[in-house]
Amino acid sequence: MAATTTLLGLVTPTHCTLSFTWGDTVHYCISYYLDIAIAGTLSFAGDGAITLANTTGSSSGNAITSTTAQYMVIRITGTQTVTKVITGPSYSKLYMVDHAGATSAVTFKAAGQTGVTVAVGEKCFVYYNGTDYVKVASSTGTGTVTSASVVTANGFAGTVATATTTPAITLTTSITGVLKGNGTAISAATAGTDYVTPTGTGTLTNKTIAYGSNTLTDVVGVTAPQTLTNKTLTSPVLTTPQLGTPSQGVLSSCTVDGTNKVGYLNVPQSGSAKTTSYTLAVTDVGEYILLGASGAIVIPDATFAAGDVVTIFNNTASTATITCSITTAYIAGTFTDKATMTLAAAGVATVLFITSTLCVVSGNVT
């Protein structure tokens, strides 16, 4: 038998060979194979993997089979229930693949490789690049077309392919497949992790949220005034704030000038009426104590600060006792330390603390 070419397996007649068989050899080993290599179509229907392999004719016949690799056009017909795998020969070869089947895609690859995916209805050219088969053109777009596996990683699964170069694909029908978020089908994804619903909350990783010309990281630092509506600030530090006219809020432990505490425009009552012996507390500062029947007052020692003031009103027809447990207690206008004082009926007494251990009581006291 004469030698053959390394790619298509065509006979290369050698001098003094093929005696009386030259015509049949050319006919079966060259003409038939050139014919299918240039214009031949090989069709496959249904499921089942296919492996294409070179065949070589002889003087007795062309030996072309249903899986001969030398064909130019590979056409898929019928219905596929799974992805149909076609394995081509691992040598420089160009195929035009026409997927005229239904339902499932076709994978065209070299042995041991992943190959490319041809979608239902797609027509494309594939060639062996020395490692695997790759697409060079497709009826779904121009330029380099990604395989379905790459498309899936970018957000779509199914039969959709996208062009990676201009012009991009224009879809004239609806997209088939499964829209994915974070690599997971939306139907099986977790709201707030894989995707965020219009009204839901979620963790946004590696995302930039624009605020005008500023990103979210710049919003706090923008110089333009910002209006925060229905926002909750947890433990904020307000530097030289302008509070305007707030209608609510508790400013405990705040000062009016950095030193002196915020006071009242009136004198509020401290708690309910006292009907037993009551010891003054720092929470009474700036307020008045209302004494009821059997009420009495104790002024404690080392409790209040200089400048603290507490007012006492005896709302009974009887006198009330003020016990001065503080180190030193004066009645205003005298310089005698008092251990006890008597508050007149319907009387008012104001206790002014000079230090934590010294106070002066003015009013209706003796």
Side-chain angles (χ1 to χ4, degrees):
M1 181 64 185
T4 59
T5 61
T6 57
L7 298 179
L8 293 180
L10 303 179
V11 169
T12 56
T14 305
H15 183 65
C16 296
T17 62
L18 306 176
S19 297
F20 303 106
T21 62
W22 166 248
D24 288 338
T25 299
V26 170
H27 183 65
Y28 291 129
C29 299
I30 298 178
S31 299
Y32 270 100
Y33 283 90
L34 285 176
D35 188 57
I36 65 172
I38 295 172
T41 297
L42 184 60
S43 294
F44 300 107
D47 295 329
I50 301 295
T51 298
L52 302 178
N54 275 353
T55 59
T56 302
S58 67
S59 58
S60 60
N62 59 43
I64 294 173
T65 70
S66 61
T67 58
T68 291
Q70 286 96 323
Y71 278 92
M72 176 61 192
V73 179
I74 303 298
R75 192 166 191 267
I76 298 90
T77 62
T79 300
Q80 290 76 45
T81 59
V82 295
T83 299
K84 188 176 185 68
V85 179
I86 300 177
T87 303
S90 297
Y91 65 78
S92 179
K93 183 70 174 72
L94 176 69
Y95 289 101
M96 202 292 284
V97 182
D98 176 10
H99 192 345
T103 307
S104 297
V106 167
T107 297
F108 201 105
K109 69 184 189 69
Q113 303 299 320
T114 57
V116 295
T117 296
V118 182
V120 173
E122 182 181 359
K123 300 173 181 60
C124 62
F125 283 99
V126 300
Y127 90 100
Y128 181 76
N129 66 358
T131 302
D132 198 1
Y133 280 88
V134 296
K135 288 183 184 179
V136 292
S138 172
S139 62
T140 61
T142 59
T144 301
V145 179
T146 60
S147 68
S149 60
V150 175
V151 173
T152 297
N154 288 331
F156 294 97
T159 60
V160 179
T162 58
T164 59
T165 58
T166 304
I169 294 172
T170 299
L171 293 175
T172 57
T173 58
S174 61
I175 295 174
T176 59
V178 179
L179 182 63
K180 295 201 171 184
N182 195 27
T184 303
I186 289 295
S187 59
T190 301
T193 300
D194 297 318
Y195 66 96
V196 179
T197 62
T199 58
T201 59
T203 300
L204 303 180
T205 304
N206 297 325
K207 304 297 186 297
T208 298
I209 299 178
Y211 179 86
S213 60
N214 304 287
T215 62
L216 186 61
T217 55
D218 299 326
V219 169
V220 175
V222 296
T223 57
Q226 308 299 322
T227 300
L228 302 179
T229 304
N230 297 325
K231 304 297 185 293
T232 299
L233 303 179
T234 304
S235 301
V237 176
L238 304 178
T239 303
T240 62
Q242 297 181 11
L243 297 180
T245 55
S247 60
Q248 62 183 13
V250 178
L251 300 177
S252 59
S253 303
C254 294
T255 65
V256 295
D257 55 7
T259 301
N260 297 298
K261 295 180 179 181
V262 175
Y264 300 102
L265 295 179
N266 58 5
V267 182
Q269 180 177 338
S270 179
S272 58
K274 314 304 179 186
T275 56
T276 60
S277 179
Y278 175 74
T279 301
L280 299 181
V282 292
T283 55
D284 301 321
V285 174
E287 300 178 343
Y288 75 89
I289 304 298
L290 180 66
L291 293 180
S294 302
I297 294 296
V298 176
I299 302 176
D301 189 37
T303 300
F304 294 89
D308 286 350
V309 176
V310 179
T311 299
I312 305 166
F313 172 58
N314 181 10
N315 191 29
T316 69
S318 303
T319 61
T321 300
I322 299 176
T323 301
C324 302
S325 297
I326 192 170
T327 301
T328 304
Y330 298 139
I331 294 177
T334 69
F335 203 67
T336 302
D337 181 24
K338 300 286 289 184
T340 60
M341 299 180 188
T342 300
L343 177 60
V348 176
T350 298
V351 184
L352 170 63
F353 291 90
I354 308 303
T355 68
S356 65
T357 58
L358 169 63
C359 72
V360 176
V361 181
S362 61
N364 308 116
V365 290
T366 55

